[in-house]
């Protein structure tokens, strides 16, 4: 794969840079973080390392040339085998450039010691390292124990891996540690998993992992949520009657009561998006469902028309779908209000982050002596404090209305 090297911004005020000297020639292998070119910024001349490992197949900017930040200056082919099939372009440097080169002090390279390098397809540095460590590149490549071509890191990785048990090597891979690095610290002929765990703990090395698709979406949405102007209302509700009921969960009852009440409050059925209000005709409530480290927020729609049984069954269906990561687009869209219940974990009170494109969210706390504390978070652009207060007090009226509660099926 071709990777374009661009003029980097080396300082916060740099707008263009000058190519002072290329430290690699076309056709040469360059390692990641290895100095590639010297660039003059607006403040200093600096060595710029390569961001990729591969073959420098094309230099696009000559020495002495000035280019704006972001302009392509070279191409690196990250697939070495592919780079070897590209015909090398042999061309004479312009006389003018040759004159400039004479002004640049190029350090004299010391003649390298000639060593008997093993046969095999590998970079020069890999062959040199293999000779020093006694690694037979050709034999190991034939056995499939080394990649073709082999690089210096492959040689070191193979050599030092021999000191580790299988589980220890798996742990090294998990933490992105090189066998050489750990070996040089532990210095044992046989290094097991416990020794690597001890090394990781002593060096305080974190395990780095990428967020899942779901987590990435959640992170993106949480960032959007911080842009929403919100306020909170916290209120205790008496739910002794509901707690005596064993047919359905407390969450099921609360979804039903909240849905019935919000049907009479268009503001709670409204979201604000791109300069317009969108008021939905039905009570659609999303419910926070945690599965391991991931959080889902599927929607139960038309709550005002659903029975407790239908809400309960729908909630179980959505939980199962969330568990199997097969929620559909239809399952996760359309809500204008959300419920998050941490009371089931014993949390007495909390405020929840309002999801984007919701009018509000209710954070449900644990019941203490038949009383739950609910903290509402409202989008102030959509519903003002007075409307929200009436909405909350109507929920209380419903929860205290025994005839209404008895009518629920």
């Amino acid at each position: 794969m071709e990777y374009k090297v661009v003029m980097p911004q080396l300082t916060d005020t740099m707008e263009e840079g000058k190519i002072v000297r290329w430290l690699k020639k076309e056709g040469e292998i360059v390692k990641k973080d290895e100095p590639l070119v010297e660039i003059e910024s607006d403040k200093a001349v600096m060595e710029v390392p390569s961001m990729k490992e591969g073959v420098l197949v094309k230099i696009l900017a000559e020495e002495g040339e000035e280019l704006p930040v972001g302009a392509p200056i070279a191409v690196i082919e990250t697939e070495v085998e592919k780079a070897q099939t590209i015909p090398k372009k042999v061309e004479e440097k312009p006389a003018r450039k040759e004159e400039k080169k004479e002004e640049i002090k190029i350090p004299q390279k010391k003649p390298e010691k000639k060593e008997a390098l093993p046969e095999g397809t590998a970079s020069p540095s890999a062959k040199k390292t293999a000779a020093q460590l006694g690694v037979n590149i050709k034999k190991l490549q034939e056995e499939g124990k080394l990649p073709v071509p082999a690089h210096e890191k492959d040689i070191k990785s193979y050599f030092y891996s021999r000191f580790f048990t299988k589980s220890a090597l798996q742990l090294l891979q998990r933490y992105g540690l090189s066998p050489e690095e750990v070996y040089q610290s532990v210095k044992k002929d046989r290094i097991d998993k416990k020794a690597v765990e001890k090394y990781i703990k002593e060096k305080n090395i974190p395990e780095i992992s990428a967020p899942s698709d779901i987590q990435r979406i959640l992170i993106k949405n949480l960032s959007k949520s911080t842009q929403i102007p919100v306020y909170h209302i916290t209120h205790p509700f008496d739910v002794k009657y509901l707690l005596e009921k064993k047919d359905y969960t407390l969450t099921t009852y609360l979804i039903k009561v909240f849905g019935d009440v919000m049907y009479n409050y268009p503001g709670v059925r409204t979201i604000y998006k791109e300069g317009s209000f969108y008021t939905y005709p039905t009570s659609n409530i999303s419910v926070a469902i945690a599965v391991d480290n991931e959080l889902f927020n599927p929607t139960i729609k038309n709550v005002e028309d659903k029975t407790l049984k239908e809400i309960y069954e729908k909630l179980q269906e959505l939980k199962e779908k969330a568990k199997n990561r097969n929620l559909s687009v239809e399952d996760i869209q359309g809500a204008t209000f959300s419920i998050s219940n941490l009371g089931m974990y014993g949390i007495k009170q909390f405020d929840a982050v309002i999801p984007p494109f919701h009018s509000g969210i209710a954070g449900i706390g644990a019941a203490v002596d038949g009383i739950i504390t609910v903290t509402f978070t409202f989008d102030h652009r959509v519903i003002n404090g007075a409307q929200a207060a009436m909405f909350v007090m109507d929920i209380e009226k419903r929860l205290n209305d025994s005839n209404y509660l008895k009518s629920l099926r």
Side-chain angles (χ1 to χ4, degrees), residues 166-185:
K166 185 178 178 181
S167 58
L169 283 173
Q170 290 171 340
L171 197 56
L172 291 180
Q173 188 174 19
R174 196 169 125 199
Y175 280 81
L177 298 170
S178 76
E180 179 188 8
E181 176 188 349
V182 179
Y183 173 81
Q184 296 296 353
S185 175

Side-chain angles (χ1 to χ4, degrees), residues 13-272:
T13 55
M14 177 178 168
E15 294 181 348
E16 61 180 18
K18 178 181 178 182
I19 305 293
V20 175
R21 183 163 66 108
W22 284 101
L23 304 174
K24 289 286 181 180
K25 297 176 183 176
E26 288 185 359
E28 283 191 335
I29 290 177
V30 58
K31 299 174 191 171
K32 187 174 183 289
D33 297 328
E34 187 178 12
L36 176 66
V37 60
E38 282 184 358
I39 289 180
E40 181 183 305
S41 73
D42 58 338
K43 294 181 180 176
V45 176
M46 288 172 260
E47 282 188 351
V48 175
S50 174
M51 302 297 288
K52 296 283 184 181
E53 180 170 323
V55 177
L56 179 62
V57 293
K58 186 70 177 174
I59 291 175
L60 302 174
E62 298 291 344
E63 293 173 351
E65 196 170 344
E66 294 186 10
L67 295 157
V69 170
I73 60 175
V75 178
I76 291 175
E77 174 55 61
T78 58
E79 297 174 36
V80 177
E81 285 185 343
K82 183 177 178 182
Q84 290 172 338
T85 64
I86 299 174
K88 293 181 180 178
K89 185 179 177 182
V90 179
E91 59 182 25
E92 295 294 331
K93 296 289 183 184
R96 183 175 61 82
K97 302 299 179 185
E98 288 296 325
E99 290 175 2
K100 284 199 170 185
K101 273 193 166 181
E102 292 177 1
E103 297 173 1
I104 300 170
K105 294 180 180 179
I106 302 175
Q108 296 296 316
K109 290 184 179 179
K110 295 180 181 178
E112 294 184 0
K113 291 182 180 177
K114 298 292 182 184
E115 295 182 53
L117 301 179
E119 295 181 3
T121 304
S123 65
S125 59
K127 290 180 178 178
K128 183 177 179 181
T129 302
Q132 292 169 343
L133 298 177
V135 174
N136 188 327
I137 295 177
K138 184 179 179 183
K139 181 173 181 293
L140 292 173
Q141 286 180 332
E142 288 173 350
E143 294 173 356
K145 296 178 179 177
L146 276 180
V148 181
H151 299 286
E152 185 179 16
K153 66 179 178 58
D154 300 320
I155 305 298
K156 288 184 175 180
S157 178
Y158 172 80
F159 178 81
Y160 290 103
S161 292
R162 296 184 298 181
F163 298 102
F164 293 84
T165 63
K166 185 178 178 181
S167 58
L169 283 173
Q170 290 171 340
L171 197 56
L172 291 180
Q173 188 174 19
R174 196 169 125 199
Y175 280 81
L177 298 170
S178 76
E180 179 188 8
E181 176 188 349
V182 179
Y183 173 81
Q184 296 296 353
S185 175
V186 178
K187 297 278 188 187
K188 285 184 178 178
D189 291 339
R190 198 62 179 162
I191 301 173
D192 59 14
K193 184 179 178 182
K194 277 190 174 180
V196 177
E197 288 174 337
K198 184 171 181 284
Y199 173 86
I200 289 170
K201 196 171 180 180
E202 287 177 350
K203 301 290 184 183
N204 195 29
I205 297 171
E207 182 179 5
I208 301 172
S209 59
S212 66
D213 290 344
I214 296 296
Q215 289 173 316
R216 194 160 49 246
I217 291 170
L218 176 64
I219 292 168
K220 187 178 177 182
N221 286 338
L222 286 173
S223 299
K224 287 182 182 176
S225 294
T226 62
Q227 306 300 314
I228 299 173
V230 298
Y231 61 95
H232 306 283
I233 292 177
T234 300
H235 193 77
F237 294 98
D238 187 337
V239 293
K240 293 187 185 75
Y241 178 83
L242 300 183
L243 293 174
E244 290 173 359
K245 299 287 184 182
K246 303 298 180 186
D247 297 339
Y248 304 107
T249 63
L250 178 61
T251 300
T252 302
Y253 277 102
L254 293 177
I255 290 172
K256 178 58 181 172
V257 174
F258 280 40
D260 283 352
V261 175
M262 70 184 280
Y263 188 68
N264 298 322
Y265 285 84
V268 188
R269 291 186 277 107
T270 299
I271 64 167
Y272 179 76

Side-chain angles (χ1 to χ4, degrees), residues 329-341:
V329 174
E330 182 64 23
D331 290 329
I332 59 175
Q333 66 181 5
T336 63
F337 193 80
S338 188
I339 286 180
S340 178
N341 186 358

Side-chain angles (χ1 to χ4, degrees), residues 295-323:
L295 184 64
F296 301 87
N297 211 31
T299 303
I300 298 179
K301 295 175 182 171
N302 303 85
V303 173
E304 77 280 4
D305 291 333
K306 283 185 165 57
T307 65
L308 289 171
K309 183 174 183 292
E310 289 171 332
I311 292 172
Y312 176 80
E313 290 176 350
K314 186 65 179 177
L315 190 56
Q316 300 312 306
E317 176 193 327
L318 293 174
K319 284 181 178 178
E320 191 64 21
K321 283 187 172 183
K323 183 180 175 183

